[in-house]
Amino acid sequence: GENVEQHPSTLSVQEGDSAVIKCTYSDSASNYFPWYKQELGKGPQLIIDIRSNVGEKKDQRIAVTLNKTAKHFSLHITETQPEDSAVYFCAARKAAGNKLTFGGGTRVLVKP
Amino acid sequence: DAGVIQSPRHEVTEMGQEVTLRCKPISGHNSLFWYRQTMMRGLELLIYFNNNVPIDDSGMPEDRFSAKMPNASFSTLKIQPSEPRDSAVYFCASRRLGGFGTDTQYFGPGTRLTVL
């Protein structure tokens, strides 16, 4: 089955700096890659996603890049703010499938 | 919309007791997922339903776990008998299958289960 690896497991950045989280996936049939943000005591919430027919997608301060050949994708957060502190999960799903396989999560701490 | 609703939000029980977790998916969604989250194992998919039918229960850890979806607006996850290692946060998520812009799974707030 699909396996998703996520790095780093923890990330501490200074407010205003950028944060980058990287994921690799194993199944070349995967074509949908969402990123979720989980705040303390809450369920994961989708923040951005990308399909395999595009290489990059941006939404304000967040962006996701995808390299299908290398089977990895990354989340970029620019101009980090304290409210960006949370756990971030990447995931992958096969075409015509319904199961998301999640990475292990990255705990991001933005220091004021 | 109210989002995915889960109850109870917290459950503390003693080993050996039956536990029932409940989920109401977003109206109009026809796919429902149950996940378990622990520090050691992260987010694990336990089971999912399409149109109220269980499709994949390969993540259900043991026969002590069972899930039902009697109608499109309600699902339960039952653990009988419960054990301390079942302590975790259980999430329900839902999605609308098919069509443009329906990729997103929406998660509920979770049920924190503690088995003493």
Side-chain angles (χ1 to χ4, degrees):
Chain A
E2 175 67 279
N3 184 49
V4 177
E5 299 283 340
Q6 183 171 347
H7 299 281
S9 56
T10 59
L11 180 60
S12 182
V13 296
Q14 206 67 37
E15 182 178 358
D17 288 350
S18 294
V20 180
I21 304 169
K22 298 182 179 181
C23 289
T24 59
Y25 61 99
S26 61
D27 193 332
S28 57
S30 291
N31 74 336
Y32 173 66
F33 307 93
W35 285 89
Y36 282 82
K37 175 183 181 182
Q38 186 177 22
E39 298 177 333
L40 196 61
K42 298 185 178 180
Q45 182 176 18
L46 180 77
I47 55 172
I48 195 168
D49 56 10
I50 191 168
R51 286 192 157 274
S52 58
N53 58 346
V54 298
E56 184 176 2
K57 185 177 178 181
K58 287 184 180 179
D59 183 2
Q60 299 181 10
R61 296 186 298 107
I62 59 173
V64 57
T65 59
L66 171 65
N67 183 325
K68 284 189 297 181
T69 303
K71 290 190 281 191
H72 67 71
F73 56 113
S74 301
L75 178 71
H76 304 252
I77 307 173
T78 58
E79 300 173 20
T80 53
Q81 300 169 5
E83 53 263 38
D84 295 329
S85 296
V87 179
Y88 292 80
F89 292 94
C90 63
R93 190 181 73 207
K94 290 183 186 180
N98 205 5
K99 287 174 62 170
L100 285 177
T101 301
F102 283 87
T106 297
R107 185 174 298 277
V108 174
L109 175 63
V110 180
K111 296 180 286 186
Chain B
D1 201 313
V4 176
I5 298 173
Q6 291 187 246
S7 65
R9 293 294 314 276
H10 302 272
E11 177 80 33
V12 180
T13 190
E14 292 189 347
M15 182 174 62
Q17 295 298 305
E18 178 179 295
V19 175
T20 299
L21 311 182
R22 297 172 176 80
C23 175
K24 177 179 169 55
I26 293 172
S27 177
H29 284 193
N30 53 0
S31 189
L32 183 141
F33 307 80
W34 282 101
Y35 291 88
R36 179 171 66 176
Q37 185 175 40
T38 61
M39 289 295 293
M40 291 298 294
R41 300 175 69 91
L43 260 173
E44 304 174 272
L45 177 66
L46 301 177
I47 185 172
Y48 79 91
F49 298 81
N50 287 351
N51 298 307
N52 312 339
V53 176
I55 302 300
D56 186 343
D57 65 355
S58 60
M60 296 286 262
E62 329 175 4
D63 291 346
R64 297 184 297 107
F65 286 69
S66 62
K68 294 182 179 180
M69 192 163 186
N71 57 61
S73 58
F74 183 65
S75 178
T76 59
L77 178 67
K78 186 176 293 187
I79 308 172
Q80 165 63 14
S82 58
E83 297 183 3
R85 59 192 169 120
D86 302 330
S87 298
V89 180
Y90 291 82
F91 288 103
C92 177
S94 71
R95 175 194 169 197
R96 184 167 64 87
L97 284 172
F100 179 77
T102 60
D103 286 316
T104 306
Q105 278 189 28
Y106 295 86
F107 282 76
T111 295
R112 181 174 294 277
L113 173 64
T114 302
V115 183
L116 303 174

